[in-house]
Amino acid sequence: MDKKKVLIVDDQNGIRVLLVEVFSNEGYNTFQASNGKLALEIVRKESPDLVLLDMKIPGMDGLDILKHIKQIDTSIKVIMMTAYGELDMIKEATDLGALTHFTKPFDIDDLRLAVNKELRSGSPRLAIGS
């Protein structure tokens, strides 16, 4: 079975490093981008299953990146991350096809569960443990 691909787009290196570690440990192929241009190159080349996308990125904001991702492939799932409480932007992101959003600082376990739910639904999973 092919590993699912997760792209992490955030201009803060510490967040990217943390999320790459978390989702690599979950068994995903992870990619990271610090800006919109690089993110879209990775989307075109790797076709990730899910993108964790920061709302505020220098140069091209999260909404612009989201629009471009959906133009490239509407099946790519996107979860927005924001340090800001802009409800209008969050609503617009949802209207553009984002699944949900997490406000920073977010609970890493909540984010991990949301990603696992999106990427593991629809495929039968074997119970692990016990």
Side-chain angles (χ1 to χ4, degrees), residues 12-105:
Q12 295 178 18
N13 185 56
I15 289 177
R16 289 195 318 272
V17 168
L18 170 68
L19 295 178
V20 163
E21 183 177 329
V22 167
F23 292 110
S24 294
N25 288 341
E26 288 292 309
Y28 300 115
N29 277 339
T30 55
F31 304 88
Q32 58 176 306
S34 58
N35 60 61
K37 184 176 184 296
L38 183 57
L40 295 174
E41 285 173 17
I42 293 170
V43 167
R44 286 187 190 96
K45 186 173 172 228
E46 298 294 340
S47 195
D49 298 285
L50 186 140
V51 178
L52 292 170
L53 177 57
D54 189 22
M55 193 81 82
K56 288 284 188 188
I57 295 191
M60 184 187 296
D61 76 16
L63 292 175
D64 288 334
I65 298 168
L66 174 60
K67 287 175 195 168
H68 287 294
I69 289 170
K70 290 299 184 176
Q71 285 170 353
I72 294 165
D73 183 348
T74 55
S75 73
I76 295 173
K77 298 176 179 190
V78 179
I79 294 176
M80 304 299 292
M81 302 180 293
T82 179
Y84 308 89
E86 298 110 348
L87 293 176
D88 55 333
M89 284 181 77
I90 291 165
K91 182 185 180 325
E92 188 176 349
T94 305
D95 291 345
L96 290 169
L99 299 171
T100 188
H101 74 279
F102 282 82
T103 304
K104 296 176 185 173

